[in-house]
């Protein structure tokens, strides 16, 4: 646990009592603060009371007497599409609003660091797609290379649930736009921007607001080094904003698909080969095509970003390559779960938007595609360039028929349920094909989370393979 510093004796409100909210309340107590907590759900409030926390309805104006700070959980809107009533009440009472990320950056460094031989560092990763894989891969490479490391944020543990830093440790944080948009302190040593595609637009008031939330990590964070994916205009803009000129190697540009020139430090992948260039010459090259945990061009972009971070930490190319080859991948992200009769089965349930699904579709040569769910803004038009490898689509979700009608140019069967989609895809799949779950939609019409959806896919596949 990271005790929250400089809040001893103060009364601090915590809104939202999920994983990060409860960790925040405990960390506040550990630092001597007095947390008062609220959640809109009765079961969450009951769990908090069972832990001895004071539960107080923060939507009421009188609850704010004596409160010096509100810490809100990332899933709770504070501006768009409308502020949560408790946040509006905090504004009215003149109480500052922060989140656990802000508290972490204000509390992580301690006087104990004066005795360390090597100062701990923080790597923060944001972007639309690939940030979980990039974060986990950085953590894996560091750990395999003997560097102490912890992984937290939007993946795994809440940031305040981390252990206090050890000598030379690197903390890797995956940060969503929900986390970066509100944090009052953002001071990573290395900041990573993977890419940008339309997502969470209602929460941020449009694409510009969404990008602005990501950009805060760089513009307000002031990292010592920035690793920036430049395959979209937003990334190119950000790299230009961060660099003092073409010779500024504090900015490492990364790409999947294009050769990067005219920059002091670049890492890019083309046709499956990663290359690192510094000051006009190539200093490393790796063949990624047979790295099982990183299939496809989108994962090669993730590998480039992780490579750049590891190199900025002083790791050598051979050590990084060896660690990447042992990377097992993450559940629900291009996760190869089985192969039978020459047919591969891949779970990419995390492909919840059009861009991430398109990248998954481009990773395999011939696909039986399971897709559908709660459609996001913008429609499915962005999938068109990636549909050439799709032999047939099997559409799930409550609005499966409407989803299927948008898949012009390919055969699509309305299945509605995962069980039916897996049954039909397995019945028709031929050797050399891949049965791929890459929904291009949120899960909430049928599942509590993308993880539950992926687990259902895995269970259905394994049950049918076991029955053969």
């Amino acid at each position: 646990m990271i005790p929250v510093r400089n809040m001893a004796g103060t009364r601090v409100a915590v809104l939202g009592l999920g994983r990060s909210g409860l960790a925040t309340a405990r960390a506040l107590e550990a630092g001597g603060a007095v947390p008062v907590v609220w959640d809109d759900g009765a079961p969450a409030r009951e769990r908090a009371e069972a832990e001895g926390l004071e539960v107080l309805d923060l939507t009421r104006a009188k609850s704010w007497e004596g409160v010096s700070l509100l810490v809100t959980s990332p899933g709770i809107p504070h501006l768009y599409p409308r502020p949560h009533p408790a946040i509006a009440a905090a504004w009215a009472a003149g109480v500052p609003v922060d989140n656990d990320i802000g508290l972490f950056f204000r509390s992580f460094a301690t006087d104990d660091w004066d005795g360390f031989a090597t100062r701990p560092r923080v790597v923060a990763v944001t972007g639309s797609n690939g940030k979980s894989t990039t974060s986990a891969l950085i953590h894996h490479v560091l750990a395999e290379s003997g560097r102490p490391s912890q992984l937290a944020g939007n993946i795994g543990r809440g940031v305040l649930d981390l252990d206090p830093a050890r000598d030379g440790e690197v903390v890797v944080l995956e940060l969503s736009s929900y986390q970066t948009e509100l944090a009052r302190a953002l001071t990573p040593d290395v900041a990573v921007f993977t890419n940008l595609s339309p997502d969470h637009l209602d929460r941020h008031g449009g694409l510009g607001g969404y990008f602005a939330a990501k950009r805060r990590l760089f513009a307000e964070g002031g990292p010592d080094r920035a690793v920036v994916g430049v395959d979209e205009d937003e990334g190119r803009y950000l790299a230009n904003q961060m660099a003092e000129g073409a010779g500024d190697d504090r900015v490492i540009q990364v790409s999947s698909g294009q050769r990067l020139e005219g920059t002091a430090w670049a890492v890019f992948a083309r046709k499956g080969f990663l290359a690192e260039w510094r000051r006009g010459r190539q200093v490393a090259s790796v063949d990624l095509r047979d790295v099982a945990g990183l299939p496809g061009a989108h994962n090669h972009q993730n590998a480039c970003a992780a490579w750049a971070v590891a190199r900025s930490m002083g790791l050598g190319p051979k050590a990084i390559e060896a660690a990447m080859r042992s990377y097992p991948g993450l559940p629900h992200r291009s996760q190869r779960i089985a192969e039978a009769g020459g047919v591969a089965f891949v779970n990419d349930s995390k492909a919840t938007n059009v861009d991430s699904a398109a990248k998954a579709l481009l990773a395999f040569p011939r696909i039986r595609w399971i897709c559908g769910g709660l459609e996001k803004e913008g429609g499915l038009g962005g999938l068109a360039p990636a549909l050439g490898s799709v032999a047939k689509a099997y559409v799930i979700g409550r609005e499966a028929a409407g989803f299927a009608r948008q898949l012009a140019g390919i055969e699509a069967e309305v299945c509605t349920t995962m069980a039916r989609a897996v049954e039909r895809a397995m019945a028709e799949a031929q050797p050399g094909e891949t049965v791929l779950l890459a929904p291009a939609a949120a899960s909430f019409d049928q599942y509590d989370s993308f993880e539950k959806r992926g687990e259902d896919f895995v269970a259905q596949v394994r049950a049918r393979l076991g029955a053969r």
Side-chain angles (χ1 to χ4, degrees), residues 302-463:
N302 301 333
C304 288
W307 181 283
V309 171
R311 292 288 280 147
S312 75
M313 295 283 175
L315 274 60
K318 290 185 178 179
I320 301 171
E321 179 181 359
M324 284 186 172
R325 292 192 178 281
S326 66
Y327 175 66
L330 285 174
H332 315 298
R333 297 161 177 88
S334 296
Q335 177 192 16
R336 193 182 185 95
I337 59 170
E339 183 170 343
V343 177
F345 298 86
V346 176
N347 168 24
D348 203 338
S349 184
K350 184 61 170 67
T352 59
N353 60 41
V354 165
D355 187 65
S356 56
K359 289 175 178 175
L361 291 171
L362 291 170
F364 306 98
R366 188 164 172 81
I367 297 167
R368 300 285 169 173
W369 178 34
I370 298 176
C371 58
L374 189 62
E375 188 180 336
K376 295 188 176 181
E377 285 187 44
L380 305 179
L383 287 167
L387 297 180
S389 60
V390 176
K392 183 176 177 180
Y394 305 83
V395 187
I396 64 173
R398 293 179 185 172
E399 303 298 329
F403 197 100
R405 282 194 293 272
Q406 297 184 63
L407 301 177
I410 64 170
E411 183 182 358
E413 179 177 338
V414 174
C415 297
T416 307
T417 67
M418 184 70 73
R420 177 64 176 171
V422 171
E423 176 187 16
R424 295 292 299 136
M426 291 181 71
E428 297 183 345
Q430 302 296 314
E433 295 182 340
T434 297
V435 175
L436 170 68
L437 170 65
S443 60
F444 303 121
D445 60 332
Q446 291 182 309
Y447 300 93
D448 291 339
S449 65
F450 72 84
E451 292 96 341
K452 294 296 184 184
R453 177 172 60 191
E455 289 166 5
D456 190 15
F457 172 72
V458 173
Q460 296 291 340
V461 169
R462 290 178 175 166

Side-chain angles (χ1 to χ4, degrees), residues 149-174:
S149 177
Q150 296 186 76
L151 177 66
N154 200 46
I155 183 173
R157 304 162 75 181
V159 292
L160 294 172
D161 196 36
L162 287 168
D163 299 323
R166 296 170 287 175
D167 194 337
E169 186 164 54
V170 180
V171 169
V172 184
L173 302 180
E174 179 197 338

Side-chain angles (χ1 to χ4, degrees), residues 172-184:
V172 184
L173 302 180
E174 179 197 338
L175 298 182
S176 71
S177 58
Y178 292 2
Q179 294 169 309
T180 58
E181 69 175 343
L182 192 60
R184 285 176 168 251

Side-chain angles (χ1 to χ4, degrees), residues 226-262:
V227 176
V228 182
V230 294
D231 289 334
E232 296 87 27
D233 283 343
E234 290 85 358
R236 288 186 281 274
Y237 167 85
L238 182 58
N240 181 270
Q241 287 277 298
M242 297 299 295
E244 294 296 329
D248 189 351
D249 67 359
R250 294 174 302 172
V251 177
I252 308 175
Q253 295 189 21
V254 302
S255 172
S256 175
Q258 59 176 319
R259 179 189 176 105
L260 299 178
E261 298 177 329

